[in-house]
Amino acid sequence: MPHNFDSGLDPVLDPDLDHIASLIANHPSGNPRLMVAIAGAPASGKSTLSERLHHHLGGDEAGVAIVPMDGFHFDDGILRARGDLARKGAPHTFDVGGFARCLEAIKRDDADIYVPVFDRNLELSRGSARCISKAHRIILVEGNYLLLDKAPWKDLISPLLDLTLFLDIPLTVLEERLIDRWHQQGFDTETAKQRALGNDIPNARTVQNHSRPPDHIIRLL
């Protein structure tokens, strides 16, 4: 059954960057760095919101950095050998342990950390593509499964997050966006629809139905 995210929460009803920035700025943290999760289904707008917040909060010069979960996709060669290539993007197709170790190192704040970034055009991760330096104090961690209530995500990732935000988007809108995403990558209408409905939408349902309640909900529609 889907979680009732509205219970006991005050949802953010629009992408008011000032309001979201204030949630981040006013959140108490006993750690040197504030780890902010921006979670949501595929095509919910996580990357876009993260980039806008990064800029709104002052960017790298103000000590703000983005760590994308997508950088920890298993390589296609590994997925192919496991028979999982068609399910790329599902929870089990990510290096959760490597992601957790990276976040732990960032939270320890004892050295510069280099993180991978996923290149959607190449469909692969570029290793050590972004530096999280000691100057970065606010870390925006964005990804689908940051709040997943299933092992190993709930055991490895959840304890590392200080503030959690969830993007709530209707499934019908996600479907349109996902089909369009595949269109933009050069696939015909039928193939784009098959890819979206055969894998992306099941992943979106997993996010919507099996994520733990966040600290704040962001509704972008």
Side-chain angles (χ1 to χ4, degrees):
M1 294 291 291
H3 287 299
N4 180 9
F5 287 143
D6 288 333
S7 179
L9 298 173
D10 295 318
V12 179
L13 297 178
D14 58 58
D16 183 338
L17 294 181
D18 286 333
H19 180 71
I20 300 170
S22 72
L23 294 176
I24 294 171
N26 295 323
H27 188 79
S29 174
N31 302 306
R33 282 173 163 154
L34 180 66
M35 308 288 280
V36 181
I38 300 176
S44 60
K46 301 177 301 297
S47 298
T48 299
L49 180 61
S50 297
E51 293 290 346
R52 291 181 65 190
L53 273 176
H54 178 259
H55 176 75
H56 195 77
L57 291 166
D60 288 86
E61 292 183 358
V64 184
I66 300 173
V67 175
M69 182 202 79
D70 277 357
F72 293 86
H73 270 100
F74 282 127
D75 186 77
D76 283 4
I78 291 177
L79 296 178
R80 189 176 294 109
R82 295 178 176 180
D84 287 331
L85 186 57
R87 293 290 287 121
K88 186 174 182 177
H92 64 281
T93 65
F94 288 87
D95 178 11
V96 188
F99 184 37
R101 288 189 291 274
C102 181
L103 294 182
E104 287 171 352
I106 292 171
K107 195 159 188 173
R108 280 200 307 271
D109 188 34
D110 55 8
D112 289 352
I113 304 297
Y114 294 84
V115 302
V117 175
F118 189 74
D119 189 319
R120 192 170 295 280
N121 292 323
L122 298 176
E123 275 295 305
L124 55 78
S125 295
R126 295 184 290 110
S128 302
R130 181 173 298 164
C131 178
I132 309 301
S133 76
K134 290 182 69 63
H136 291 122
R137 302 289 89 194
I138 297 175
I139 311 299
L140 305 177
V141 186
E142 64 102 346
N144 298 338
Y145 305 118
L146 303 179
L147 303 181
L148 199 65
D149 62 6
K150 297 178 179 293
W153 294 87
K154 68 175 182 178
D155 303 314
L156 296 181
I157 305 302
S158 291
L160 299 171
L161 305 171
D162 300 310
L163 174 66
T164 58
L165 311 176
F166 185 88
L167 278 62
D168 183 21
I169 307 291
L171 203 63
T172 53
V173 176
L174 293 176
E175 182 177 316
E176 293 174 1
R177 291 182 180 180
L178 288 162
I179 293 173
D180 184 61
R181 176 184 287 180
W182 289 115
H183 263 146
Q184 292 181 20
Q185 293 191 41
F187 292 94
D188 60 62
T189 300
E190 186 59 32
T191 303
K193 188 173 182 179
Q194 287 176 358
R195 284 179 172 252
L197 299 183
N199 187 36
D200 297 329
I201 289 299
N203 293 338
R205 288 196 177 97
T206 294
V207 173
Q208 292 186 341
N209 296 342
H210 299 285
S211 290
R212 64 183 178 86
D215 296 317
H216 299 279
I217 297 169
I218 300 171
R219 289 197 175 95
L220 299 181
L221 298 178

